[in-house]
Amino acid sequence: MYLQTVGFSKMLRVFWFFFFFEFFRYVVVDLVSLIFIKWDRYRNRYDYLDAKRRLWLELPLVSIIVPGKNEGKHIFKLTTSLQEQTYTNFELIIVDDGSDDDTEIICKSLKKNGYIDYFVRNEVRGGKASGANTALRIAKGKYVVHLDADCSYDFDAIENIIIPFYEDRKIGAVGGNVMVRNYRESVVTALQGFEYTDAISIGRMVSSYLGIYRVVSGAFGAFRMDLLQRVQGWDIGPGLDGDITVKFRKLGYKIRFEDRAVCQTSVPNTFQKLTKQRLRWDKSLVRFRLRKHSDVFFPHQNFSLSNFISFLENITYTLILNIKWYIYAADMIFNFASLLPFIIVMNIFLYTGANLFKLLVFNLFRERTNAPFSYFLIYVPLMVFYHGYFLRIVRSIAYVKEFFFKESYKDPWNPEKTSIKALEIGI
């Protein structure tokens, strides 16, 4: 009715932000890419089987490293999950980063009973990167798999995350598919369950296919040992998983997302906890992509077009469009004040329609899900407010805090001494 009354051009004028940016990037580009991914997977199915055969023929040692603080209550479940893996030629290294609970007692008991190969305790907390690097110094595997202690893994997860290295020798790191285990716990976890299924999982499948995948998750990621040694392991975070992915990309190696390698994690169950987590995540975009790795944008001897596009896409859709959304809001307020109630309702309708389309259609391209898509149907309208308002506002606050105050260096997620040192040397 509205379209017939005002015409298509007026419709585009009012809803340009949705049609030109959100719909094109997250519906059209994603759908076309998923079709090509499906076709390529079918066309290369025998190559995949051959890579799997060569993995089993070689049986390389895989070092599974799990750094963490106060994770003792999760370790037994983790070791049980790993003992059920199809791929068993691995060593398990647990690093206790200065825990003040029973982690040390639990891990020593598990080591004594053969569940853990190496247990190292740092008496003084050094942070997640320090724990991972401690494990790296012990590791002897050809590949290193970094896990979070509070996750559980499909029985073929380790096998599936190693296979891509045998499909393409230029692959340096592989990211696993992280799903939400506690999606039924609250509205907050359900919204994140929807987000991980759609924006994160599908988003990473598409960015991997396009060659611009940029974050190997710290919860489940695999790396070539020789390359980890070349980049000298992990630098201090937050955002250390995205940082090390960029370091691998700068070496000229491909990064792959493997949706068939699945782990499940528990996400924050209140908006307060979620806000704290996302503030930390979003600050890392400014700290790492705009400061530490800003050389990606400039021509030099090791300039890479794919790295440039990867950064540009990330910054355009998370930073520039975040600012542009406020320009759009101002445009509507000043130029279409009388139509505002209609514009708000229509925007909710458009975004809800797009989310529903993605939930139903993209489900055809997922080989593994942890929840029936029908469970998320009632949350489709809420995703408009979750993505469009809540996450956007949190992201804006994070950018301001990091741009002007370098707040990430004050985050208690890292020990104060390491943050001070990181600030001194500019990482």
Side-chain angles (χ1 to χ4, degrees), residues 13 16-17 319-336 392:
R13 170 68 184 91
W16 57 269
F17 192 86
L319 177 62
I320 296 176
L321 288 191
N322 202 58
I323 298 169
K324 211 168 181 62
W325 184 86
Y326 292 102
I327 296 172
Y328 170 76
D331 179 31
M332 293 302 106
I333 291 170
F334 289 111
N335 295 314
F336 301 94
R392 193 185 302 279

Side-chain angles (χ1 to χ4, degrees), residues 133-145:
N133 291 329
T134 299
L136 187 60
R137 285 193 285 273
I138 301 168
K140 298 188 290 290
K142 183 176 181 180
Y143 302 100
V144 175
V145 176

Side-chain angles (χ1 to χ4, degrees), residues 76 79-80 83 92 109-117:
F76 178 69
T79 57
T80 303
Q83 287 206 331
L92 176 58
S109 173
L110 289 170
K111 182 176 183 298
K112 187 177 178 182
N113 288 285
Y115 287 86
I116 296 172
D117 296 295

